[in-house]
Amino acid sequence: MTTAWGLYGQSLYDLAVEEKADEQIMEELEAVRGILAQNPDYITLLCEPSVPVKNRTQLLDEAFGGQIHPYLLNFLKILVEKGMLRGFSTCCSTYRKSYNKDHGISEATVISAVPLSDEQAAALQAKLEKLSGKKVLLSRKVDAKVLGGLSVEIDGKLYDGTVGGRLDELRRRVTETVL
């Protein structure tokens, strides 16, 4: 969080908590992030120095006014005015990390060779919640290189139960024994 964008994201979070709007802004922040990710030309327009700042902030009013929390709208305007909108994703990540920490939420990513069924994902999520004592937001990825098994990353820790991971561990042990 040493970047300016991280500081801006943390400041938005602190304000949202103070005003008891952290959950609403979290949801809206993710929605705006998705909209901007799908419309990179809009970001380019909002960052274009040849367009007066007043016009760029007016575009934000037209796009989001009355649809998102006023604090979030003003936050976007500040980023546009400061020429920092390209770092919006980092602001969102910082906000989410602080939100998750304060609300006892962990984000986990599971990687498997084939897609997990909804039942399998729900069972894994329940097990991770039981182990971590936190609510877990589980995202799924598929990677054929895994061969079999699962790789789970949660709270910065990697739990590798994949066939490839086991083979790597076996190679390491054999190498240590031989040398």
Side-chain angles (χ1 to χ4, degrees):
M1 190 181 67
T2 57
T3 67
W5 294 302
L7 293 173
Y8 274 70
Q10 185 63 47
S11 297
L12 176 62
Y13 179 74
D14 293 342
L15 175 64
V17 167
E18 188 176 302
E19 297 297 323
K20 297 179 177 39
D22 55 323
E23 187 171 344
Q24 177 186 352
I25 291 176
M26 177 75 253
E27 292 171 8
E28 293 173 356
L29 197 63
E30 291 299 329
V32 170
R33 183 185 207 176
I35 291 168
L36 294 178
Q38 292 175 357
N39 299 287
D41 291 341
Y42 188 64
I43 294 174
T44 302
L45 177 62
L46 292 172
C47 294
E48 179 56 49
S50 66
V51 177
V53 171
K54 182 180 177 184
N55 293 0
R56 290 185 274 155
T57 57
Q58 185 177 355
L59 288 171
L60 288 169
D61 281 328
E62 292 169 6
F64 299 112
Q67 297 180 34
I68 61 174
H69 196 283
Y71 290 156
L72 180 53
L73 181 58
N74 288 336
F75 180 74
L76 290 168
K77 289 178 183 180
I78 289 169
L79 292 179
V80 166
E81 290 169 1
K82 301 278 185 189
M84 298 178 66
L85 187 63
R86 294 210 187 270
F88 180 67
S89 184
T90 302
C91 296
C92 293
S93 296
T94 301
Y95 188 103
R96 168 147 315 273
K97 285 178 188 173
S98 295
Y99 180 87
N100 287 351
K101 181 179 177 189
D102 288 352
H103 290 83
I105 299 171
S106 288
E107 292 185 21
T109 302
V110 60
I111 301 172
S112 58
V114 295
L116 295 178
S117 69
D118 290 340
E119 296 82 21
Q120 291 170 321
L124 177 61
Q125 182 176 357
K127 186 164 188 155
L128 291 171
E129 287 176 350
K130 184 177 178 184
L131 290 171
S132 68
K134 296 179 179 181
K135 179 178 170 34
V136 173
L137 302 176
L138 186 65
S139 63
R140 302 180 247 181
K141 293 183 180 178
V142 176
D143 184 354
K145 295 177 194 169
V146 169
L147 300 178
L150 299 175
S151 173
V152 178
E153 183 179 346
I154 183 168
D155 293 332
K157 296 177 186 161
L158 179 64
Y159 300 95
D160 191 353
T162 63
V163 172
R166 291 179 184 164
L167 288 173
D168 288 343
E169 178 64 20
L170 184 59
R171 277 189 209 101
R172 186 186 62 76
R173 286 184 182 177
V174 168
T175 302
E176 286 176 358
T177 305
V178 172
L179 298 176

